[in-house]
Amino acid sequence: MRRCILISKEIQINEQIRDKEIRVIGDDGEQLGIMTSRDAQRLADEKELDLVKISPNAKPPVCKIMDYGKFKYEQSRKDKEAKKKQKVINVKEIRMSAAVQDHDLNVKAKNCIKFLENGDRVKASVRFRGREMAYTDTGRELLMKFADIVADSGKVEKLPVMEGRSMVMYLVPKKES
């Protein structure tokens, strides 16, 4: 009776282990020493468990006697928990023209503050049309003024840089301390 012959390509188990000598760890975590893979497989079969290569790059490779199905199940549960705890960060974009008025700038800043308080990154961009490309310094001043307005909620992550016909600056929420 052989089980789990071809379950995974990256982890070798049971008969897939073809090394001459391996270091074996028992199912209770104790070191059983260095032995041939055949002897280790015999020990695993006596306990009705699987022989799993956990460290293939070691000299000699390290194998552990364990229930492989239970191990894979617990690993998937850990991965699910880790995925639940990670936070997704969205990037919101606020676009302005180079000739934006103060009131419009304040409205856009209010929206930016709302985004930053929600924990999102903000990409503030100024697009230049036609002859406005000759006055990119006004766009840089506008973005720095915008950063000053929202300084209470966020800080500049990346200073203004040109990307094609737009100047872009990234803002991130300030850490609460």
Side-chain angles (χ1 to χ4, degrees):
M1 177 187 97
R2 288 288 136 216
R3 29 181 240 166
C4 301
I5 293 174
L6 291 172
I7 290 183
S8 176
K9 289 178 175 37
E10 63 272 353
I11 297 177
Q12 293 179 349
I13 56 171
N14 295 335
E15 285 79 24
Q16 293 177 340
I17 302 170
R18 301 234 182 255
D19 298 300
K20 215 171 220 174
E21 285 188 335
I22 55 175
R23 183 179 305 275
V24 181
I25 300 172
D27 57 330
D28 52 356
E30 69 180 64
Q31 292 269 349
L32 300 178
I34 297 174
M35 58 180 74
T36 64
S37 58
R38 216 176 255 162
D39 292 340
Q41 185 62 52
R42 201 173 304 120
L43 274 174
D45 289 342
E46 287 172 7
K47 296 181 181 183
E48 294 185 354
L49 294 172
D50 300 310
L51 184 66
V52 181
K53 188 188 281 189
I54 55 174
S55 180
N57 296 331
K59 298 284 184 208
V62 179
C63 296
K64 187 171 183 179
I65 296 173
M66 67 171 83
D67 184 354
Y68 186 69
K70 185 177 178 183
F71 169 74
K72 287 294 282 181
Y73 173 73
E74 288 172 356
Q75 195 67 37
S76 70
R77 297 293 294 171
K78 285 179 189 173
D79 292 346
K80 248 185 209 177
E81 284 298 316
K83 194 172 183 180
K84 279 183 190 175
K85 291 178 183 174
Q86 78 183 12
K87 186 174 185 321
V88 177
I89 297 174
N90 294 324
V91 178
K92 303 286 189 174
E93 184 174 7
I94 293 183
R95 292 183 184 169
M96 300 173 266
S97 69
V100 68
Q101 298 298 311
D102 286 341
H103 180 265
D104 294 334
L105 187 67
N106 290 334
V107 169
K108 290 186 184 287
K110 193 188 295 185
N111 286 332
C112 179
I113 290 169
K114 196 182 334 173
F115 294 147
L116 290 169
E117 286 172 352
N118 287 338
D120 297 326
R121 287 176 66 204
V122 176
K123 175 182 175 182
S125 62
V126 175
R127 61 182 179 275
F128 299 100
R129 293 186 180 140
R131 303 229 358 147
E132 291 176 350
M133 283 297 289
Y135 305 102
T136 56
D137 54 331
T138 59
R140 187 176 320 277
E141 290 170 11
L142 179 68
L143 285 174
M144 294 314 290
K145 182 178 176 183
F146 186 77
D148 289 339
I149 294 171
V150 298
D152 295 339
S153 300
K155 60 182 180 185
V156 177
E157 180 186 43
K158 187 177 173 190
L159 290 170
V161 290
M162 285 299 293
E163 289 182 2
R165 297 189 72 82
S166 297
M167 185 171 286
V168 178
M169 174 178 70
Y170 286 92
L171 301 159
V172 290
K174 277 194 173 171
K175 299 284 187 235
E176 299 295 324
S177 53

